Amino acid sequence: MAQKDGEDAGTGLGVATRTRTRTKKPSLYKVLMLNDDYTPMEFVVLCLQRFFRMSIEDATRVMLHVHQKGVGVCGVFSHEVAETKATQVVDFARQHQHPLQCTIEKA
């Protein structure tokens, strides 16, 4: 029996193709800490350690950057995580009577 081009020689096997849909990666957002003249530097370092899991050295470096430049990046996360972390910092600051502010912006 002669084979035609494209046939599988009677094995019943063929090539299965499947279209894969690719999920789009979520947009990332930067959590920004804003400088103020009232929140103690030690409290800012504590917030960076507690909510962003920074070492004392990294937290101090970011705190000094915020102090000198007016704003600094605490981390980059998905929208929900960034929003939650910013809210946690602001709420924690309010509980301790500090006006510390955090915002988020698209990375």
Side-chain angles (χ1 to χ4, degrees):
M1 178 194 260
Q3 278 186 323
K4 293 181 189 168
D5 285 342
E7 288 187 0
D8 60 9
T11 62
L13 300 175
V15 177
T17 58
R18 180 173 40 173
T19 305
R20 290 182 71 187
T21 56
R22 292 185 184 231
T23 55
K24 186 178 165 195
K25 291 197 175 191
S27 298
L28 295 178
Y29 290 80
K30 296 185 277 192
V31 178
L32 303 175
M33 188 171 280
L34 309 176
N35 188 44
D36 64 70
D37 294 331
Y38 305 101
T39 305
M41 292 179 178
E42 296 80 13
F43 185 80
V44 174
V45 170
L46 173 66
C47 287
L48 291 167
Q49 288 180 288
R50 174 178 269 188
F51 299 108
F52 299 95
R53 303 286 183 234
M54 290 187 189
S55 66
I56 185 96
E57 295 83 8
D58 288 341
T60 301
R61 185 177 40 76
V62 171
M63 176 274 298
L64 288 172
H65 180 85
V66 170
H67 180 69
Q68 293 166 352
K69 305 289 184 187
V71 65
V73 178
C74 303
V76 180
F77 309 94
S78 68
H79 184 266
E80 293 78 15
V81 173
E83 202 170 57
T84 299
K85 287 186 178 286
T87 301
Q88 287 174 327
V89 170
V90 171
D91 289 348
F92 186 66
R94 294 300 164 277
Q95 290 170 6
H96 291 84
Q97 286 82 44
H98 297 302
L100 185 63
Q101 286 292 315
C102 266
T103 61
I104 66 171
E105 76 176 26
K106 203 162 193 170

